[in-house]
Structure formats: structure tokens, C-alpha cells
Amino acid sequence: MEAHLENSPEVIHREVARLGELFGTRDKAERFLLEFDAEYARLSTAVREHFATRGNRAVAQVFMTMWADFAGLELTGAFGPGPLQPGELLRLSAQKPDIVLDNAHMPTGAPIAEAAETDLVQLINFPGPGMDLLDVFRENARVLMGVNP
């Protein structure tokens, strides 16, 4: 059995429902998805309001691109997952992003933020010890709202 691990709401809904059917826990899956939808909406609204009066152009590490939508940011480019190449650095920093969304688990975006003279945030892609999936969204919302460009 293989699970598709991506933090977009569409994939989360599909995988939780599929796994709920597979394991005979459909009721629990449905309850989780209701909780997820409410928490996602609450957090996304707060982050979007935070960025409403700030610059909204973002570049992101490929596994972090969905967070631009979560935050209401305009995704203007992506990098990774491998090492940042000089051409990528020039191209992405020339887009003058207002924020760089990097992957805390494999950070490579600092040179882009430095070259573009903008903010860098390192977002988590999966739960750490003592965390669940909703904690990933809570933590990333906290980190995003700590940005004051």
C-alpha cells in the first residue's frame, strides 16, 4: 500500500477518505476531515489577512508551493528539491519576491532571499515528534505570520 503525501487539501481529503475505507475507519476519517476543513479555513484566513497589506509575491521550494495558496500569495517560481543552481538563483531573485518559502527539512532558499533582499521562512513538510497533521498547519501559519515585510 502506498500513500500520497502532499499537504494540499485535495490530496489530504482523498487520502484520508481512501485510508478510512481501507482500514474500516470511515467515520473517524469523516470526523477528522470536518475538523481539518475548519482548522484549515481558520488558519488560512488569518494568514491571508496577515499578508493582505504586505507584498504577496513568493518563490517556494517545490514541496512548499501549496503554502503560497494557503497564504494567498502569488507563486512566481519554484526551486529544488536539489541544490540551487546559479541560473535558478539569478532567475528567481530577479523576480523580486516578497518572501521565499523554504523547506525546513532540506533548506536551500537562503541565497534567493539574500539576493532578492527579502524574507525567508522555513516551513515544515511533515509532523515532528508529538505532532499531527493539523500541527503542521498550525506551525506553518505561526511561522508565516511572524513575517513582517
Side-chain angles (χ1 to χ4, degrees), residues 21-131:
E21 287 292 328
L22 185 67
F23 295 123
T25 57
R26 186 170 73 182
D27 290 345
K28 282 185 176 185
E30 288 171 356
R31 282 193 305 276
F32 171 80
L33 290 173
L34 288 173
E35 180 185 359
F36 172 79
D37 288 345
E39 188 69 350
Y40 181 94
R42 184 185 73 77
L43 294 168
S44 180
T45 297
V47 174
R48 285 169 179 261
E49 288 173 1
H50 175 80
F51 282 105
T53 59
R54 294 165 170 80
N56 72 341
R57 295 172 49 81
V59 297
Q61 195 267 358
V62 295
F63 300 142
M64 300 291 116
T65 58
M66 65 80 42
W67 295 102
D69 183 57
F70 173 81
L73 301 171
E74 175 192 353
L75 185 63
T76 62
F79 59 93
L84 189 63
Q85 300 300 311
E88 281 182 298
L89 173 60
L90 289 172
R91 177 179 56 80
L92 294 170
S93 61
Q95 293 178 19
K96 302 292 183 205
D98 299 302
I99 191 168
V100 176
L101 308 178
D102 204 1
N103 187 331
H105 306 291
M106 57 171 91
T108 57
I112 300 167
E114 184 179 337
E117 298 178 342
T118 196
D119 288 301
L120 171 74
V121 295
Q122 292 186 337
L123 304 172
I124 59 174
N125 200 29
F126 50 84
M131 296 176 78

